[in-house]
């Protein structure tokens, strides 16, 4: 359905996209994953015909984006990062306009409009001005806009950016419902987001394609690289020694400490078993256990793991805590975005995780 | 053509959904009303002097009311048309809706022509208001309606020219104020071009006089359709729309 070959985009001296090649089959849901500025939006804009590539080719439904832009545009529904809505128009008026713009015959516009209003749960706000809608509703209007002409290919640029958790769940469900009939490309910098809906993940970093695989395979490749944050009240030298002695611990590094307590970052190979083992060791030694929870891997870590060789990756991970040793509070390393981006096998949302870890800490103390 | 109308009608609705259209139309009615009033006042003054036995040139409403009133139209256009065009593309670029237009299956020219058409239609609303004023003359006298029609044709052409240039300038920036200021500057320059060289017979003087927008309207206001002036306005509109198209295309390469 979508074919991209050796695509390169240059903005003046900067290369935004470097030599990317991939293919998307009909009915696939592909997640573009990468940090901000990685080239996700640029790639999508080239596919939609908004930007021309500097070199390489891209085609959608058999039509080249440069040679037959109008044909390509007919087959694509596109939701840019900011929904392209006119605040002074009503939801109905706007969707009617987009429907006509996308070339739906006049007689069918109303029918399609009713369809997307139902599909995107917009019935309550149908007559309202878009400028008065909440961000979540505006995003849904953006989705409705992309869907109105029933295109084969849907391209969503960060469809859940800036929404609250409930709205994120709704949008995700909407996208999930669309799968099957449509070929979907969506971009995000949050791994858990694509993990649940995408049939394939394409990781882009710094304009380059780093990996393209199913979520399961990517997870498998990243397993065995978990790290834990553990806060202990005990003599630091002993703690380090005892923790290292636990089977499955690859490395221990001290992060910081206050009031007799010290925080440690523990590199492990097997996560689930080792947490109880660590807790047992700490309690048996007579120390206080304040906190123990997994640290999410940032996307950078994942990229490093995916691209560097095993040894280099491990070295990089062990260097990182040392660089962060100056940080004031251990909480800084576990802010929600980071844990959300984490390659954790558990499905628990970050809030819950933090809460449970606090409870654990309280129980231990 | 369907796409052009889709875009034009959305743009028009958007003018009337915001205060812009109403403010412009209100301002226009006041200023035009004043111009019309002063032309009538002068006419009344002159004709009463004629009745008192003073030596006056022969007078008619065409020459003394309609012609100067329509002639003053270009001043109003100079000030009001930047406010019509400044948002056309700048606003879409700022809010990101341009991405919707450029990723829809419509040609760039449809977008530009549609937006320009909407601006011309708003201007036509102004013309309609001005007709209300002039209708009063028809109640009291019998002006040449064919000459007046030609005058309005000229106004449409002149307005179209201003709006095409304004539309082009609006494609250049994301900022409405910048677009408005640049447009006003450009119009002012095109306006004063023939003052400086009004009496010059040099080639440069003649060229400047030809480029200036307003002088080409003179014959129209007298009810004369001059080929030279018509060609001037039509080609200026064509140039403005062509430059807009090029500018919109370059947006993709520069973005």
């Amino acid at each position: 359905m979508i074919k991209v070959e050796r695509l390169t985009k240059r903005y003046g001296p900067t290369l935004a996209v470097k030599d990317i090649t991939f293919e998307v089959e009909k009915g696939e849901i592909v997640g573009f994953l990468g940090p901000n500025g990685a080239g996700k939006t640029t790639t999508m804009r080239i596919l939609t015909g908004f930007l021309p590539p500097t070199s390489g080719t891209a085609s959608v439904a058999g039509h080249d984006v440069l040679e037959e832009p109008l044909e390509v545009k007919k087959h694509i529904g596109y939701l840019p990062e900011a929904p392209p809505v006119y605040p002074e128009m009503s939801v109905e008026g706007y969707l009617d306009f987009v429907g006509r713009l996308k070339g739906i015959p006049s007689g069918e516009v109303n029918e399609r409009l009713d369809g997307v209003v139902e599909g995107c749960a917009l019935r309550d706000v149908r007559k309202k001005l878009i400028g008065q809608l909440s961000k979540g509703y505006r995003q849904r209007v953006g989705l409705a806009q992309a869907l109105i002409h029933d295109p084969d290919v849907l391209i969503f640029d960060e469809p859940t950016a800036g929404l609250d958790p409930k709205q994120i769940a709704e949008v995700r469900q909407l996208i999930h419902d669309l799968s099957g009939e449509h070929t979907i490309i969506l971009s995000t910098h949050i791994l858990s987001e694509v993990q649940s809906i995408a049939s394939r993940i394409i990781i882009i970093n710094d304009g380059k394609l780093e990996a393209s695989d199913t979520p399961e395979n990517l997870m498998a490749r990243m397993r065995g690289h978990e790290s834990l944050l553990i806060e202990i009240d005990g003599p630091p030298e002993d703690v380090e020694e005892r923790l290292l002695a636990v089977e499955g611990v690859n490395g221990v590094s001290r992060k910081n400490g206050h009031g007799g307590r010290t925080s440690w970052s523990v590199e492990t190979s097997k996560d689930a078993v080792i947490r109880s083992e660590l807790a047992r060791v700490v309690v048996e030694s007579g120390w206080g256990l304040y906190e123990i929870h997994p640290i999410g891997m940032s996307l950078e870590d994942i990229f490093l793991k995916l691209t560097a060789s095993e040894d280099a990756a491990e070295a990089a991970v062990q260097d990182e805590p040392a660089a962060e040793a100056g940080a004031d509070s251990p909480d800084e390393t576990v802010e929600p975005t980071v844990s959300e981006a984490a390659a954790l096998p558990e499905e628990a949302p970050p809030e819950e995780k933090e809460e449970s870890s606090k409870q654990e800490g309280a129980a231990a103390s | 053509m369907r796409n052009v109308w889709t875009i034009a009608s959305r743009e028009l609705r958007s003018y009337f959904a915001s205060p812009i259209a109403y403010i412009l139309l209100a301002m226009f009615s006041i200023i035009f009303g004043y111009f019309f009033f002063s032309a009538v006042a002068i006419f009344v003054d002159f004709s009463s002097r004629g009745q008192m036995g003073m030596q006056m040139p022969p007078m008619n409403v065409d020459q003394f009311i309609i012609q100067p009133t329509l002639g003053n139209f270009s001043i109003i256009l100079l000030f009001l048309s930047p406010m019509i065009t400044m948002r056309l593309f700048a606003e879409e670029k700022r809010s990101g809706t341009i991405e919707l237009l450029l990723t829809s299956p419509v040609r760039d020219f449809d977008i530009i022509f549609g937006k320009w058409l909407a601006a011309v239609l708003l201007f036509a609303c102004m013309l309609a208001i001005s007709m209300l004023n002039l209708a009063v003359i028809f109640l009291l006298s019998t002006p040449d309606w064919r000459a007046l029609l030609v005058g309005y044709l000229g106004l449409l052409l002149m307005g179209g020219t201003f709006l095409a240039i304004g539309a082009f300038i609006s494609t250049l920036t994301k900022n409405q104020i910048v677009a408005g200021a640049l447009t006003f500057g450009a119009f002012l320059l095109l306006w004063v071009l023939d003052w400086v060289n009004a009496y010059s017979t040099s080639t440069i003087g003649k060229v400047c006089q030809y480029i200036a927008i307003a002088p080409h309207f003179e014959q129209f206001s007298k009810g004369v359709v001059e080929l030279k002036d018509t060609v001037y306005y039509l080609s200026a509109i064509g140039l403005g729309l062509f430059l807009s198209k090029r500018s919109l295309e370059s947006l993709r390469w520069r973005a």
Side-chain angles (χ1 to χ4, degrees):
Chain A
M1 206 64 190
I2 298 170
K3 213 174 191 173
V4 171
E5 255 171 77
R6 312 211 57 174
L7 197 71
T8 298
K9 177 70 187 175
R10 195 182 275 280
Y11 295 121
T14 47
L15 260 173
V17 172
K18 292 172 203 158
D19 204 16
I20 283 184
T21 302
F22 66 87
E23 251 182 75
V24 181
E25 296 299 325
K26 193 170 163 49
E28 255 190 304
I29 303 186
V30 170
F32 269 15
L33 189 63
N36 292 328
K40 302 184 299 266
T41 301
T42 304
T43 311
M44 292 182 148
R45 283 182 164 175
I46 292 171
L47 284 177
T48 57
F50 183 68
L51 288 177
T54 308
S55 69
T57 58
S59 67
V60 175
H63 304 283
D64 189 276
V65 289
L66 271 187
E67 268 148 41
E68 298 170 283
L70 290 186
E71 280 303 312
V72 168
K73 287 169 187 177
K74 271 182 206 161
H75 286 93
I76 286 185
Y78 175 45
L79 172 62
E81 199 174 340
V85 293
Y86 297 93
E88 75 274 10
M89 292 180 94
S90 70
V91 172
E92 215 170 32
Y94 171 72
L95 291 176
D96 181 79
F97 163 67
V98 176
R100 286 167 201 278
L101 197 65
K102 300 286 181 186
I104 302 176
S106 300
E108 292 166 32
V109 173
N110 275 333
E111 199 183 312
R112 286 297 308 156
L113 201 157
D114 291 340
V116 291
V117 163
E118 285 303 313
C120 299
L122 289 167
R123 206 183 333 154
D124 297 342
V125 296
R126 216 181 144 132
K127 309 264 180 207
K128 277 200 181 166
L129 295 185
I130 295 173
Q132 297 171 342
L133 297 181
S134 69
K135 202 162 187 315
Y137 267 121
R138 228 177 285 183
Q139 194 74 15
R140 275 194 250 166
V141 174
L143 281 168
Q145 163 273 128
L147 293 169
I148 194 158
H149 56 303
D150 198 20
D152 302 330
V153 176
L154 290 167
I155 297 184
F156 300 139
D157 195 355
E158 306 212 353
T160 58
L163 299 181
D164 67 35
K166 185 167 168 275
Q167 295 167 332
I168 290 178
E170 286 168 359
V171 169
R172 242 184 246 177
Q173 185 58 44
L174 247 171
I175 295 174
H176 189 79
D177 294 344
L178 291 169
S179 58
E181 302 155 50
H182 306 268
T183 307
I184 303 177
I185 294 186
L186 67 137
S187 79
T188 176
H189 53 266
I190 301 168
L191 182 64
S192 61
E193 177 143 344
V194 281
Q195 207 178 323
S196 49
I197 41 178
S199 57
R200 191 148 61 92
I201 295 179
I202 292 177
I203 295 183
I204 299 178
N205 188 31
D206 206 15
K208 287 192 296 263
L209 196 144
E210 301 281 13
S212 167
D213 216 331
T214 60
E216 293 75 31
N217 287 352
L218 281 179
M219 289 309 120
R221 279 160 77 174
M222 283 178 286
R223 215 156 274 149
H225 291 288
E226 306 292 350
S227 47
L228 297 169
L229 185 91
I230 179 164
E231 193 177 346
I232 295 167
D233 187 0
E237 298 76 27
D238 293 355
V239 168
E240 184 166 6
E241 200 182 313
R242 293 270 185 98
L243 290 183
L244 267 174
V246 176
E247 199 183 337
V249 171
N250 291 340
V252 173
S253 58
R254 187 175 166 175
K255 293 187 84 79
N256 57 7
H258 48 85
R261 301 184 214 165
T262 44
S263 318
W264 303 82
S265 159
V266 180
E267 299 297 325
T268 70
S269 40
K270 286 170 280 157
D271 178 43
V273 197
I274 215 158
R275 260 191 266 176
S276 55
E277 182 63 21
L278 282 171
R280 197 181 58 77
V281 167
V282 171
V283 174
E284 275 181 1
S285 309
W287 306 323
L289 175 61
Y290 285 88
E291 197 171 352
I292 178 166
H293 66 89
I295 306 174
M297 272 194 290
S298 70
L299 272 177
E300 270 65 30
D301 295 339
I302 296 172
F303 294 133
L304 279 173
K305 299 232 162 70
L306 284 172
T307 53
S309 66
E310 278 306 288
D311 296 348
E314 241 141 69
V317 168
Q318 270 158 20
D319 282 346
E320 201 194 41
E324 279 178 5
D328 302 343
S329 131
D331 288 338
E332 272 189 17
T333 54
V334 290
E335 43 183 31
T337 45
V338 177
S339 19
E340 208 165 302
L344 295 168
E346 293 102 328
E347 286 296 327
E351 293 90 345
E352 274 179 43
K353 236 178 282 162
E354 268 187 22
E355 236 175 70
S356 65
S357 67
K358 270 177 203 141
Q359 279 165 3
E360 264 182 66
S365 60
Chain B
M1 206 52 217
R2 180 175 171 247
N3 293 335
V4 170
W5 180 243
T6 303
I7 292 189
S9 65
R10 194 213 69 78
E11 199 66 42
L12 254 189
R13 258 182 284 156
S14 167
Y15 273 127
F16 283 95
S18 65
I20 305 172
Y22 303 101
I23 290 175
L24 286 176
L25 290 174
M27 270 165 49
F28 172 81
S29 339
I30 294 168
I31 298 168
F32 184 82
Y34 173 74
F35 280 145
F36 179 68
F37 168 77
S38 49
V40 173
I42 292 170
F43 183 80
V44 170
D45 185 43
F46 272 36
S47 53
S48 64
R49 274 191 235 180
Q51 280 170 350
M52 276 148 52
M54 288 166 81
Q55 202 62 6
M56 294 301 291
M59 291 170 59
N60 63 46
V61 284
D62 297 311
Q63 237 179 330
F64 275 76
I65 298 180
I66 294 176
Q67 224 174 291
T69 319
L70 293 188
N72 282 334
F73 226 105
S74 51
I75 299 179
I76 306 177
L77 265 175
L78 175 70
F79 286 93
L80 293 189
S81 54
M83 296 182 216
I84 299 180
T85 57
M86 65 185 201
R87 58 181 284 286
L88 277 183
F89 290 94
E91 178 65 13
E92 303 248 8
K93 283 170 81 174
R94 194 193 53 77
S95 71
T97 44
I98 192 84
E99 220 165 327
L100 168 67
L101 297 182
L102 293 183
T103 56
S104 293
V106 289
R107 288 174 304 152
D108 289 357
F109 190 77
D110 295 342
I111 301 173
I112 287 155
F113 194 73
K115 281 181 169 280
W116 174 78
L117 191 67
V120 170
L121 288 175
L122 181 62
F123 173 62
C125 293
M126 293 184 178
L127 292 183
I129 290 178
S130 72
M131 281 178 188
L132 287 179
N133 285 294
L134 294 173
V136 177
I137 310 177
F138 280 89
L139 293 178
L140 305 171
S141 170
T142 50
D144 183 357
W145 62 270
R146 277 159 302 194
L148 189 63
L149 220 58
V150 170
Y152 270 97
L153 174 72
L155 284 177
L156 262 183
L157 286 171
M158 182 166 64
T161 304
F162 274 114
L163 298 171
I165 296 168
F168 163 60
I169 293 173
S170 183
T171 59
L172 299 177
T173 169
K174 273 185 187 174
N175 187 323
Q176 285 196 44
I177 305 294
V178 170
L182 280 176
T183 310
F184 183 68
F187 288 176
L188 203 59
L189 193 71
L190 287 170
W191 175 260
V192 297
L193 219 48
D194 74 314
W195 293 3
V196 184
N197 295 294
Y199 303 104
S200 168
T201 48
S202 69
T203 318
I204 296 175
K206 279 183 190 157
V207 169
C208 284
Q209 256 174 303
Y210 186 75
I211 292 174
I213 292 181
H216 291 278
F217 179 64
E218 209 178 310
Q219 293 301 317
F220 281 108
S221 72
K222 288 178 188 156
V224 180
V225 183
E226 185 96 54
L227 183 65
K228 173 182 87 163
D229 298 328
T230 316
V231 166
Y232 167 85
Y233 283 134
L234 287 179
S235 47
I237 291 169
L239 180 71
L241 297 182
F242 171 76
L243 289 176
S244 309
K245 182 173 181 294
R246 281 283 175 241
S247 167
L248 207 63
E249 275 169 19
S250 80
L251 194 72
R252 302 178 174 201
W253 300 96
R254 284 183 293 139

